[in-house]
Amino acid sequence: MARSLSRILVLNGPNLNLLGRREPEIYGTADLATIEATLQNIGFDLGALIESRQSNHEGRLVDWLQEAREDFDGVLLNAAALTHTSVALRDAIVASETPCVEVHLSNVHAREPFRHTSLISGVCVGVVLGFGPNSYALGLRGLIDYLRSPERTED
Ligand code: DQA
């Protein structure tokens, strides 16, 4: 049976454009382009169209989450520092009515206390953190599985 391609929007928040150069002892040496290329390959293998975007601006991320409502089936999101502060992003995830998976390179729970709170986890379908770039790969596979789960596709 033919299966339509899942359309996945990958969003990265503030300072993640500096991956590879920014605090490599915490975030590793892979740059964002390398992570995005890996996600493209996984998408190709699993029959998903992947579009990746990064912004340092909260409002732009909100705009993109709103776009997801019409144009995407799922969102993979590393909201970076905005994870811990942004009610606007949380509200935008809810308003998008699009399943969202939260990812982080680092294990935020093993870091400073202010990183232990996520304002977005409660409105995401799942969270993957602490595995470096592999958090994105695991999160993408989980999101695609979730989108294709029988409970969601039966009707
Ligand atoms: C991060 C964790 C955040 O606390 C931090 O502000 C980031 C990156 C991560 O991927 O580990 O910018 O989201």
Side-chain angles (χ1 to χ4, degrees), residues 9 24 26-27 73 75-76 89-90 101 105 123 126-127 135 137 144 146 153:
L9 179 61
I26 296 174
Y27 299 118
D73 301 307
V75 175
L76 188 71
L89 274 191
R90 178 189 170 100
V101 168
L105 294 140
V123 294
V127 182
S135 292
I144 293 171
Y146 174 83
T153 52

Side-chain angles (χ1 to χ4, degrees), residues 62 65 86-95 118-123:
V62 169
L65 283 164
S86 179
V87 176
L89 274 191
R90 178 189 170 100
D91 287 351
I93 293 167
V94 174
S118 167
L119 298 191
I120 65 174
S121 296
V123 294

Side-chain angles (χ1 to χ4, degrees), residues 13-16 19 22 26-27 78-84 103-108 111-112 114-115 129-130 136:
N15 301 306
L16 293 172
L19 278 183
R22 172 193 179 206
I26 296 174
Y27 299 118
N78 186 348
L82 294 171
T83 304
H84 318 298
V103 297
H104 300 283
L105 294 140
S106 63
N107 177 357
V108 288
R111 300 180 62 194
E112 304 96 318
F114 66 84
R115 295 185 204 275
L129 55 88
Y136 288 83

Side-chain angles (χ1 to χ4, degrees), residues 5-155:
L5 291 171
S6 308
R7 301 159 303 166
I8 309 292
L9 179 61
V10 178
L11 293 183
N12 277 288
N15 301 306
L16 293 172
N17 54 313
L18 296 179
L19 278 183
R21 287 175 288 156
R22 172 193 179 206
E23 300 177 88
E25 66 287 0
I26 296 174
Y27 299 118
T29 52
D31 63 12
L32 190 56
T34 303
I35 292 171
E36 289 173 349
T38 301
L39 297 178
Q40 285 293 339
N41 290 337
I42 294 170
F44 184 81
D45 287 346
L46 298 182
L49 288 173
I50 312 293
E51 182 163 330
S52 298
R53 303 177 189 171
Q54 186 276 332
S55 179
N56 293 328
H57 305 281
E58 185 176 21
R60 180 154 300 169
L61 292 161
V62 169
D63 289 343
W64 288 338
L65 283 164
Q66 290 186 11
E67 247 182 69
R69 196 184 156 94
E70 305 299 329
D71 297 336
F72 294 91
D73 301 307
V75 175
L76 188 71
L77 172 64
N78 186 348
L82 294 171
T83 304
H84 318 298
T85 62
S86 179
V87 176
L89 274 191
R90 178 189 170 100
D91 287 351
I93 293 167
V94 174
S96 76
E97 294 180 5
T98 307
C100 181
V101 168
E102 174 186 355
V103 297
H104 300 283
L105 294 140
S106 63
N107 177 357
V108 288
H109 299 290
R111 300 180 62 194
E112 304 96 318
F114 66 84
R115 295 185 204 275
H116 298 181
T117 300
S118 167
L119 298 191
I120 65 174
S121 296
V123 294
C124 287
V125 296
V127 182
V128 182
L129 55 88
F131 295 102
N134 207 23
S135 292
Y136 288 83
L138 294 166
L140 178 60
R141 290 179 189 281
L143 176 59
I144 293 171
D145 276 359
Y146 174 83
L147 293 173
R148 293 179 182 164
S149 60
E151 306 85 73
R152 284 184 50 83
T153 52
E154 253 160 24
D155 47 9

